[in-house]
Amino acid sequence: MLTRSMPVLLDCDPGIDDAFALAYLACRSDVETVGVVTTAGNVGQDDVLRNALGLTALLGADIPVARGADQPLVEPMMTAEETHGPHGLGHAQVGECGRRPDERTGAQLWVDLARTYPGELVGIVTGPLTNLALALREEPELPRLLKRLHVMGGAINYRGNTGPTSEWNIAVDPEAAHEIFEAWGQASRRLVLGALQATEVIRMDEGHRQAVAELGDHPVVAVLSDALRFYFEFHQADGLGWCAYLHDPLVVAHAVTGRFARTRPLAVDVELAGTLTRGQTVGDELGRWGKEPNVDLLCDVDAEGFIEHLISTLREGLTVRSGE
Ligand code: BDR
Ligand code: CA
Protein backbone atom coordinates (compact mmCIF):
# COMPACT_ATOMS: atom_id res chain seq x y z
CA MET A 1 0.00 0.00 0.00
CA LEU A 2 1.33 3.46 -0.86
CA THR A 3 1.13 6.24 1.71
CA ARG A 4 2.44 9.78 1.35
CA SER A 5 3.54 9.95 4.97
CA MET A 6 5.58 7.56 7.08
CA PRO A 7 3.47 4.59 8.28
CA VAL A 8 4.18 3.84 11.95
CA LEU A 9 3.00 1.11 14.29
CA LEU A 10 3.37 1.94 17.99
CA ASP A 11 3.41 -0.95 20.49
CA CYS A 12 3.12 0.60 23.94
CA ASP A 13 2.01 0.22 27.56
CA PRO A 14 0.46 3.61 28.39
CA GLY A 15 1.91 4.57 30.77
CA ILE A 16 2.63 8.28 31.29
CA ASP A 17 5.55 8.68 28.90
CA ASP A 18 3.83 6.36 26.39
CA ALA A 19 0.86 8.78 26.45
CA PHE A 20 3.21 11.62 25.45
CA ALA A 21 4.61 9.42 22.68
CA LEU A 22 1.12 8.70 21.31
CA ALA A 23 0.16 12.37 21.41
CA TYR A 24 3.44 13.38 19.74
CA LEU A 25 2.83 10.98 16.85
CA ALA A 26 -0.74 12.24 16.42
CA CYS A 27 0.58 15.81 16.21
CA ARG A 28 2.95 15.11 13.30
CA SER A 29 1.44 15.66 9.88
CA ASP A 30 4.26 13.71 8.18
CA VAL A 31 3.51 10.53 10.13
CA GLU A 32 0.58 8.18 9.72
CA THR A 33 0.09 6.02 12.78
CA VAL A 34 -1.48 2.99 11.11
CA GLY A 35 -1.84 0.89 14.24
CA VAL A 36 -1.42 0.81 17.99
CA VAL A 37 -0.80 -2.38 19.95
CA THR A 38 -0.95 -2.49 23.73
CA THR A 39 1.30 -4.59 25.92
CA ALA A 40 0.60 -5.24 29.56
CA GLY A 41 3.46 -3.58 31.39
CA ASN A 42 3.25 -0.36 33.36
CA VAL A 43 -0.27 -1.47 34.31
CA GLY A 44 -2.38 -4.47 33.33
CA GLN A 45 -3.75 -5.09 29.84
CA ASP A 46 -7.29 -3.82 30.56
CA ASP A 47 -5.87 -0.48 31.68
CA VAL A 48 -3.29 -0.02 28.92
CA LEU A 49 -5.92 -0.89 26.31
CA ARG A 50 -8.47 1.52 27.80
CA ASN A 51 -5.82 4.23 27.91
CA ALA A 52 -4.74 3.70 24.30
CA LEU A 53 -8.35 3.66 23.07
CA GLY A 54 -9.22 6.73 25.13
CA LEU A 55 -6.15 8.70 24.09
CA THR A 56 -6.54 7.92 20.38
CA ALA A 57 -10.22 8.91 20.62
CA LEU A 58 -9.35 12.21 22.32
CA LEU A 59 -6.66 12.81 19.70
CA GLY A 60 -9.15 12.16 16.89
CA ALA A 61 -6.96 9.35 15.57
CA ASP A 62 -9.28 6.77 14.03
CA ILE A 63 -6.80 3.90 13.88
CA PRO A 64 -6.85 0.23 14.85
CA VAL A 65 -5.88 -0.35 18.47
CA ALA A 66 -5.27 -4.04 19.16
CA ARG A 67 -5.19 -5.78 22.52
CA GLY A 68 -1.83 -7.42 22.99
CA ALA A 69 -0.69 -10.18 25.29
CA ASP A 70 -1.87 -10.17 28.91
CA GLN A 71 1.28 -11.91 30.15
CA PRO A 72 4.98 -12.05 29.30
CA LEU A 73 6.29 -15.18 27.53
CA VAL A 74 7.71 -16.77 30.69
CA GLU A 75 7.79 -14.37 33.63
CA PRO A 76 4.77 -13.81 35.83
CA MET A 77 3.32 -10.36 35.04
CA MET A 78 4.58 -7.37 37.03
CA THR A 79 3.16 -3.84 36.90
CA ALA A 80 4.30 -0.42 38.15
CA GLU A 81 1.33 1.46 39.60
CA GLU A 82 3.67 3.36 41.93
CA THR A 83 5.38 4.83 38.84
CA HIS A 84 2.42 5.38 36.52
CA GLY A 85 -0.58 5.60 38.85
CA PRO A 86 -3.39 3.15 39.64
CA HIS A 87 -4.61 3.01 36.01
CA GLY A 88 -1.44 4.04 34.17
CA LEU A 89 -2.01 7.74 33.61
CA GLY A 90 -1.07 9.15 36.99
CA HIS A 91 -3.68 11.58 38.32
CA ALA A 92 -5.50 11.52 34.98
CA GLN A 93 -8.02 8.97 33.83
CA VAL A 94 -9.57 8.33 30.46
CA GLY A 95 -12.91 6.58 30.89
CA GLU A 96 -14.54 4.15 28.47
CA CYS A 97 -14.68 6.06 25.18
CA GLY A 98 -17.04 3.82 23.26
CA ARG A 99 -14.34 2.78 20.79
CA ARG A 100 -13.85 -0.95 20.36
CA PRO A 101 -10.44 -2.57 20.06
CA ASP A 102 -9.49 -4.07 16.73
CA GLU A 103 -10.61 -7.69 16.46
CA ARG A 104 -7.08 -8.93 15.85
CA THR A 105 -4.54 -9.74 18.52
CA GLY A 106 -1.63 -7.36 18.91
CA ALA A 107 0.70 -9.89 17.31
CA GLN A 108 -1.63 -10.32 14.34
CA LEU A 109 -1.83 -6.56 13.80
CA TRP A 110 1.98 -6.42 13.71
CA VAL A 111 2.06 -9.15 11.08
CA ASP A 112 -0.80 -7.72 8.99
CA LEU A 113 0.60 -4.18 8.94
CA ALA A 114 4.13 -5.38 8.12
CA ARG A 115 2.69 -7.28 5.16
CA THR A 116 0.48 -4.35 4.13
CA TYR A 117 3.44 -1.91 4.08
CA PRO A 118 6.40 -4.14 3.11
CA GLY A 119 9.66 -2.22 3.43
CA GLU A 120 7.81 0.92 4.58
CA LEU A 121 6.50 0.32 8.08
CA VAL A 122 8.44 1.84 10.97
CA GLY A 123 7.79 -0.26 14.10
CA ILE A 124 8.27 1.37 17.49
CA VAL A 125 8.05 -0.46 20.81
CA THR A 126 7.86 1.55 24.03
CA GLY A 127 6.77 -1.31 26.27
CA PRO A 128 7.82 -4.93 26.82
CA LEU A 129 8.56 -6.88 23.63
CA THR A 130 6.02 -9.68 24.17
CA ASN A 131 3.72 -8.89 21.22
CA LEU A 132 6.56 -8.42 18.80
CA ALA A 133 8.11 -11.74 19.84
CA LEU A 134 4.75 -13.46 19.28
CA ALA A 135 4.44 -11.75 15.90
CA LEU A 136 7.93 -12.88 14.96
CA ARG A 137 7.01 -16.49 15.70
CA GLU A 138 4.08 -16.06 13.29
CA GLU A 139 6.09 -14.20 10.62
CA PRO A 140 9.87 -14.83 10.79
CA GLU A 141 10.33 -12.37 7.89
CA LEU A 142 9.37 -9.41 10.12
CA PRO A 143 12.93 -8.03 10.38
CA ARG A 144 13.02 -7.85 6.58
CA LEU A 145 9.43 -6.62 6.14
CA LEU A 146 9.86 -3.64 8.48
CA LYS A 147 11.65 -0.54 7.29
CA ARG A 148 13.09 -0.06 10.76
CA LEU A 149 12.46 -1.17 14.33
CA HIS A 150 12.98 1.24 17.24
CA VAL A 151 12.81 0.05 20.84
CA MET A 152 12.91 1.84 24.19
CA GLY A 153 14.59 -0.59 26.52
CA GLY A 154 17.66 -1.73 28.36
CA ALA A 155 20.55 -0.05 30.12
CA ILE A 156 24.02 -0.43 28.61
CA ASN A 157 26.88 0.04 31.10
CA TYR A 158 24.41 1.95 33.27
CA ARG A 159 22.35 1.14 36.35
CA GLY A 160 18.87 -0.29 35.92
CA ASN A 161 15.59 1.29 37.00
CA THR A 162 13.90 -2.00 37.91
CA GLY A 163 16.55 -4.39 39.19
CA PRO A 164 19.99 -2.94 39.96
CA THR A 165 21.06 -3.66 36.37
CA SER A 166 17.75 -4.15 34.53
CA GLU A 167 15.47 -1.67 32.80
CA TRP A 168 11.69 -2.02 33.04
CA ASN A 169 10.65 -2.95 29.48
CA ILE A 170 13.30 -5.67 29.25
CA ALA A 171 12.84 -6.85 32.85
CA VAL A 172 9.12 -7.47 32.29
CA ASP A 173 9.80 -9.93 29.46
CA PRO A 174 13.50 -10.81 29.07
CA GLU A 175 12.80 -13.85 26.87
CA ALA A 176 10.84 -11.75 24.39
CA ALA A 177 13.66 -9.20 24.27
CA HIS A 178 16.21 -11.97 23.72
CA GLU A 179 14.21 -13.33 20.75
CA ILE A 180 14.04 -9.87 19.18
CA PHE A 181 17.76 -9.13 19.64
CA GLU A 182 18.57 -12.54 18.13
CA ALA A 183 16.30 -12.07 15.13
CA TRP A 184 17.59 -8.58 14.36
CA GLY A 185 21.10 -10.03 14.52
CA GLN A 186 20.23 -11.90 11.31
CA ALA A 187 18.66 -8.89 9.60
CA SER A 188 20.37 -6.42 7.31
CA ARG A 189 19.05 -3.41 9.28
CA ARG A 190 20.00 -3.11 12.92
CA LEU A 191 17.39 -2.48 15.59
CA VAL A 192 17.59 1.09 16.97
CA LEU A 193 17.73 0.94 20.76
CA GLY A 194 17.05 3.83 23.14
CA ALA A 195 18.36 2.56 26.45
CA LEU A 196 18.22 4.28 29.84
CA GLN A 197 21.58 6.04 29.57
CA ALA A 198 20.10 7.95 26.60
CA THR A 199 16.48 8.37 27.69
CA GLU A 200 17.34 9.55 31.20
CA VAL A 201 19.03 12.54 29.63
CA ILE A 202 15.46 13.70 28.98
CA ARG A 203 14.87 15.10 32.44
CA MET A 204 11.81 17.35 32.52
CA ASP A 205 12.03 20.11 35.14
CA GLU A 206 9.41 22.38 36.70
CA GLY A 207 9.59 24.85 33.81
CA HIS A 208 8.92 22.06 31.32
CA ARG A 209 6.07 20.75 33.49
CA GLN A 210 4.43 24.18 33.49
CA ALA A 211 4.90 24.50 29.74
CA VAL A 212 2.99 21.22 29.30
CA ALA A 213 0.21 22.42 31.64
CA GLU A 214 -0.12 25.56 29.49
CA LEU A 215 -0.25 23.82 26.11
CA GLY A 216 -3.83 24.89 25.43
CA ASP A 217 -7.41 23.78 25.88
CA HIS A 218 -7.34 20.54 23.91
CA PRO A 219 -8.74 17.80 26.24
CA VAL A 220 -5.52 15.79 25.90
CA VAL A 221 -3.57 18.59 27.56
CA ALA A 222 -5.32 18.04 30.89
CA VAL A 223 -4.59 14.31 30.66
CA LEU A 224 -0.90 14.84 29.88
CA SER A 225 -0.55 17.51 32.52
CA ASP A 226 -2.24 15.52 35.33
CA ALA A 227 -0.26 12.44 34.31
CA LEU A 228 3.02 14.34 34.29
CA ARG A 229 2.40 15.78 37.76
CA PHE A 230 2.09 12.23 39.11
CA TYR A 231 5.30 11.24 37.28
CA PHE A 232 7.14 14.14 38.99
CA GLU A 233 5.78 13.01 42.38
CA PHE A 234 6.99 9.47 41.71
CA HIS A 235 10.47 10.59 40.67
CA GLN A 236 10.72 12.79 43.75
CA ALA A 237 9.61 9.93 46.02
CA ASP A 238 12.24 7.73 44.31
CA GLY A 239 14.97 10.17 45.35
CA LEU A 240 15.52 11.67 41.90
CA GLY A 241 14.28 15.19 42.67
CA TRP A 242 11.32 17.19 41.29
CA CYS A 243 11.64 15.99 37.71
CA ALA A 244 10.56 13.24 35.35
CA TYR A 245 12.46 11.19 32.78
CA LEU A 246 10.42 11.10 29.57
CA HIS A 247 11.88 7.95 28.01
CA ASP A 248 9.47 6.90 25.28
CA PRO A 249 8.93 10.20 23.40
CA LEU A 250 12.66 10.53 22.70
CA VAL A 251 12.73 7.12 21.03
CA VAL A 252 9.60 7.91 19.02
CA ALA A 253 10.83 11.34 17.93
CA HIS A 254 14.20 9.94 16.90
CA ALA A 255 12.40 7.19 14.95
CA VAL A 256 10.39 9.63 12.85
CA THR A 257 12.88 12.51 12.52
CA GLY A 258 16.34 10.92 12.87
CA ARG A 259 17.14 13.91 15.13
CA PHE A 260 18.06 14.52 18.79
CA ALA A 261 20.58 11.66 19.13
CA ARG A 262 23.32 9.93 17.23
CA THR A 263 23.72 6.16 17.15
CA ARG A 264 26.61 3.73 17.41
CA PRO A 265 26.58 0.03 16.45
CA LEU A 266 26.85 -2.59 19.19
CA ALA A 267 26.17 -6.30 19.71
CA VAL A 268 23.58 -6.55 22.50
CA ASP A 269 21.90 -9.48 24.22
CA VAL A 270 19.86 -10.04 27.37
CA GLU A 271 20.97 -11.93 30.46
CA LEU A 272 18.38 -14.68 31.02
CA ALA A 273 20.14 -16.90 33.54
CA GLY A 274 21.74 -14.50 36.02
CA THR A 275 20.68 -14.83 39.62
CA LEU A 276 21.34 -11.14 40.32
CA THR A 277 21.33 -9.73 36.80
CA ARG A 278 18.43 -11.41 34.97
CA GLY A 279 17.02 -8.95 32.43
CA GLN A 280 20.25 -6.96 32.13
CA THR A 281 21.12 -5.86 28.60
CA VAL A 282 24.74 -6.68 27.91
CA GLY A 283 26.66 -4.82 25.22
CA ASP A 284 29.77 -6.46 23.77
CA GLU A 285 31.92 -3.32 23.58
CA LEU A 286 35.15 -5.17 22.75
CA GLY A 287 33.70 -7.69 20.29
CA ARG A 288 34.43 -10.70 22.54
CA TRP A 289 31.43 -12.63 21.14
CA GLY A 290 32.69 -12.26 17.58
CA LYS A 291 29.17 -11.26 16.51
CA GLU A 292 28.19 -8.47 14.15
CA PRO A 293 26.38 -5.59 15.91
CA ASN A 294 22.61 -6.13 16.00
CA VAL A 295 21.77 -2.75 17.49
CA ASP A 296 22.23 0.94 16.72
CA LEU A 297 22.41 2.41 20.20
CA LEU A 298 21.20 5.97 20.84
CA CYS A 299 23.93 8.23 22.21
CA ASP A 300 24.84 11.95 22.38
CA VAL A 301 21.29 13.06 23.14
CA ASP A 302 20.32 16.71 22.63
CA ALA A 303 18.01 17.02 25.63
CA GLU A 304 17.09 20.70 25.44
CA GLY A 305 16.59 20.53 21.68
CA PHE A 306 14.34 17.51 22.07
CA ILE A 307 12.24 18.89 24.93
CA GLU A 308 11.67 22.15 23.03
CA HIS A 309 10.73 20.14 19.94
CA LEU A 310 8.34 17.93 21.92
CA ILE A 311 6.55 20.86 23.53
CA SER A 312 6.32 22.88 20.32
CA THR A 313 5.08 19.85 18.33
CA LEU A 314 2.39 19.18 20.93
CA ARG A 315 1.43 22.87 21.09
CA GLU A 316 1.10 23.18 17.35
CA GLY A 317 -0.63 19.83 16.78
CA LEU A 318 -3.06 20.16 19.63
CA THR A 319 -3.92 23.77 18.77
CA VAL A 320 -4.73 22.78 15.19
CA ARG A 321 -6.77 19.85 16.41
CA SER A 322 -8.73 21.77 19.05
CA GLY A 323 -9.61 24.31 16.33
CA GLU A 324 -10.87 21.65 13.89
C1 BDR B 1 10.29 2.41 30.38
O1 BDR B 1 9.50 1.75 31.36
C2 BDR B 1 8.26 2.37 31.51
O2 BDR B 1 7.99 2.66 32.84
C3 BDR B 1 8.29 3.62 30.65
O3 BDR B 1 7.03 3.80 30.03
C4 BDR B 1 9.38 3.36 29.65
O4 BDR B 1 8.89 2.73 28.49
C5 BDR B 1 11.47 3.08 31.06
O5 BDR B 1 12.25 2.13 31.72
CA1 CA C 1 6.48 2.58 28.10
Side-chain angles (χ1 to χ4, degrees):
M1 186 178 285
L2 277 178
T3 53
R4 269 168 289 133
S5 47
M6 178 190 291
V8 166
L9 185 163
L10 179 67
D11 188 331
C12 55
D13 61 340
I16 294 171
D17 51 337
D18 302 78
F20 276 82
L22 258 171
Y24 170 85
L25 283 175
C27 288
R28 287 200 65 103
S29 53
D30 56 345
V31 170
E32 188 183 353
T33 307
V34 292
V36 172
V37 173
T38 55
T39 302
N42 289 325
V43 285
Q45 181 57 247
D46 289 345
D47 280 324
V48 291
L49 182 63
R50 186 187 316 104
N51 293 344
L53 287 166
L55 285 163
T56 50
L58 283 179
L59 289 160
D62 188 15
I63 47 178
V65 176
R67 181 185 179 106
D70 291 355
Q71 297 285 333
L73 298 181
V74 175
E75 285 279 306
M77 187 61 209
M78 61 174 175
T79 51
E81 283 79 3
E82 71 289 357
T83 311
H84 291 271
H87 300 287
L89 293 176
H91 293 300
Q93 278 205 36
V94 289
E96 300 294 340
C97 65
R99 285 196 65 201
R100 302 283 310 147
D102 194 84
E103 284 177 358
R104 290 164 286 189
T105 63
Q108 195 57 52
L109 189 62
W110 265 106
V111 171
D112 285 357
L113 290 176
R115 289 175 180 159
T116 305
Y117 301 95
E120 275 193 87
L121 184 68
V122 175
I124 310 177
V125 185
T126 60
L129 286 148
T130 316
N131 297 312
L132 184 56
L134 293 170
L136 182 67
R137 292 174 181 188
E138 167 84 19
E139 174 51 279
E141 285 302 306
L142 266 186
R144 284 156 289 281
L145 284 169
L146 293 185
K147 180 171 186 183
R148 292 192 308 274
L149 175 65
H150 297 253
V151 172
M152 190 285 131
I156 304 288
N157 302 324
Y158 190 78
R159 61 146 175 79
N161 65 355
T162 303
T165 60
S166 61
E167 179 279 331
W168 176 260
N169 290 337
I170 306 294
V172 169
D173 197 338
E175 278 73 18
H178 170 70
E179 290 183 21
I180 298 306
F181 286 128
E182 277 277 305
W184 261 260
Q186 317 299 317
S188 55
R189 295 208 74 137
R190 293 187 281 268
L191 174 168
V192 184
L193 185 68
L196 278 187
Q197 73 281 355
T199 62
E200 286 197 355
V201 177
I202 306 305
R203 186 178 187 278
M204 303 280 279
D205 65 19
E206 174 59 15
H208 302 132
R209 193 189 69 75
Q210 282 177 21
V212 169
E214 290 160 13
L215 276 175
D217 27 357
H218 191 288
V220 160
V221 173
V223 173
L224 295 179
S225 174
D226 290 348
L228 189 59
R229 186 162 43 88
F230 185 97
Y231 218 24
F232 270 66
E233 289 163 4
F234 159 72
H235 283 76
Q236 187 169 52
D238 211 23
L240 299 163
W242 185 243
C243 70
Y245 298 136
L246 229 51
H247 309 274
D248 297 338
L250 172 71
V251 173
V252 168
H254 178 263
V256 300
T257 66
R259 297 172 57 203
F260 311 114
R262 292 193 313 111
T263 61
R264 65 184 181 92
L266 187 65
V268 173
D269 205 343
V270 181
E271 176 58 79
L272 298 179
T275 53
L276 299 174
T277 57
R278 183 167 149 77
Q280 178 178 354
T281 43
V282 180
D284 184 15
E285 299 283 1
L286 294 177
R288 299 288 196 245
W289 298 333
K291 284 188 180 168
E292 287 298 314
N294 55 347
V295 156
D296 281 328
L297 187 66
L298 293 199
C299 56
D300 299 338
V301 174
D302 169 13
E304 256 331 290
F306 167 70
I307 294 173
E308 265 178 51
H309 166 78
L310 173 67
I311 290 173
S312 62
T313 304
L314 292 173
R315 183 180 298 116
E316 206 174 302
L318 296 175
T319 305
V320 171
R321 277 166 178 73
S322 59
E324 273 170 2

